[in-house]
Amino acid sequence: MKKLFLIFGLLSVFILSGLAVHAKTNYLHSITLEKNNGGYNIILKSDDFTKVIRRVTSENELVLELTGIKSSDTVNALYKGTNDVDNLIIENNSPNKLKIYITAPNIANSSVFIEPEGGKSALTGEDFPYKKAIWAVFALIIFAGICKRSVKRSIADNNILIKKDIKDREIEMYRRYRKNFEEENSKVNNAARMRTVLKKIDRKIDERLMTSIK
């Protein structure tokens, strides 16, 4: 059981370390919207990468939910090749979380990029963090398999202990019975008859023991 809790603890630390965000404060500095073929490129410049969930509310409305980031004192909005952006709002709805509301024609057809300082931009904005979810499910499956094997082994060990206990008690009962029998028949002069009876008793006890340990 102690090994089971130890394995569970290690798996928990492993999963949390894979999903944890950096402790260093991450700030959003600017948002750039540039026109592309049929939609927009939305470039978010920040100190580091962050988790982005992209939600389309309509063809002309888009909501970006950012986790593990704050807005800097001044967030610049830059527009390249377009004057059709109707609205852009940044909302600090909770600590280390931002929501960006964008209203523009065909904004649903957009690609979202994170561009950290000193690093290359990367495409993001998936609707759901599939890779992390798959990794978490995989880790849980491994843990479930370990638990199942541990339970089976524990049951098998318990059965062995029960059989051993039954066998020990049967042997002890046999010894007491034989001792009592010998004391009761100590005055009997017919040794041949006594040995025959004892052999029958021994055979019966052996049969009982073999039955109990199957």
Side-chain angles (χ1 to χ4, degrees), residues 8-209:
F8 177 73
L10 292 175
L11 281 174
S12 299
V13 172
F14 195 50
I15 294 171
L16 291 175
S17 63
L19 300 178
V21 296
H22 295 292
K24 181 182 177 181
T25 303
N26 188 15
Y27 289 101
L28 176 67
H29 297 288
S30 69
I31 303 172
T32 301
L33 279 80
E34 61 181 12
K35 194 72 174 176
N36 64 18
N37 296 328
Y40 300 85
N41 289 330
I42 303 172
I43 303 171
L44 308 175
K45 289 190 177 182
S46 59
D47 294 322
D48 204 348
F49 289 102
T50 187
K51 175 183 174 183
V52 180
I53 297 178
R54 179 176 178 272
R55 302 189 187 279
V56 177
T57 57
S58 70
E59 189 68 23
N60 300 326
E61 293 181 353
L62 177 67
V63 179
L64 301 178
E65 297 183 6
L66 284 65
T67 303
I69 193 169
K70 295 180 179 180
S71 62
S72 61
D73 294 336
T74 302
V75 180
N76 297 320
L78 306 175
Y79 306 100
K80 294 183 179 181
T82 180
N83 294 318
D84 297 332
V85 178
D86 298 326
N87 197 16
L88 193 155
I89 299 174
I90 302 174
E91 178 183 296
N92 292 277
N93 57 331
S94 62
N96 292 322
K97 287 187 178 181
L98 297 177
K99 279 189 178 181
I100 302 173
Y101 301 87
I102 305 174
T103 304
N106 295 322
I107 193 66
N109 299 321
S110 298
S111 299
V112 183
F113 296 85
I114 292 287
E115 187 175 302
E117 288 188 356
K120 294 183 179 180
S121 61
L123 182 66
T124 184
E126 70 275 9
D127 292 332
F128 185 80
Y130 292 104
K131 291 183 179 179
K132 291 181 180 179
I134 291 172
W135 173 243
V137 170
F138 178 71
L140 290 174
I141 290 173
I142 293 176
F143 177 67
I146 294 172
C147 288
K148 186 176 180 180
R149 291 186 61 184
S150 299
V151 170
K152 285 184 177 180
R153 182 160 186 171
S154 178
I155 292 173
D157 291 343
N158 288 337
N159 289 337
I160 291 173
L161 291 174
I162 291 172
K163 289 181 178 180
K164 185 177 183 300
D165 183 61
I166 292 175
K167 182 179 178 180
D168 291 342
R169 285 190 283 115
E170 293 285 351
I171 292 173
E172 182 62 26
M173 289 175 61
Y174 161 70
R175 287 174 176 172
R176 288 201 302 267
Y177 183 80
R178 184 185 176 100
K179 181 179 179 181
N180 293 336
F181 182 85
E182 290 175 347
E183 290 176 353
E184 292 292 330
N185 293 275
S186 60
K187 298 180 180 180
V188 177
N189 296 323
N190 192 347
R193 179 173 175 273
M194 183 177 178
R195 284 195 297 270
T196 301
V197 174
L198 289 175
K199 287 181 180 180
K200 289 182 180 180
I201 293 173
D202 291 342
R203 186 168 58 253
K204 291 294 183 180
I205 293 298
D206 288 340
E207 292 175 357
R208 180 69 183 90
L209 291 175

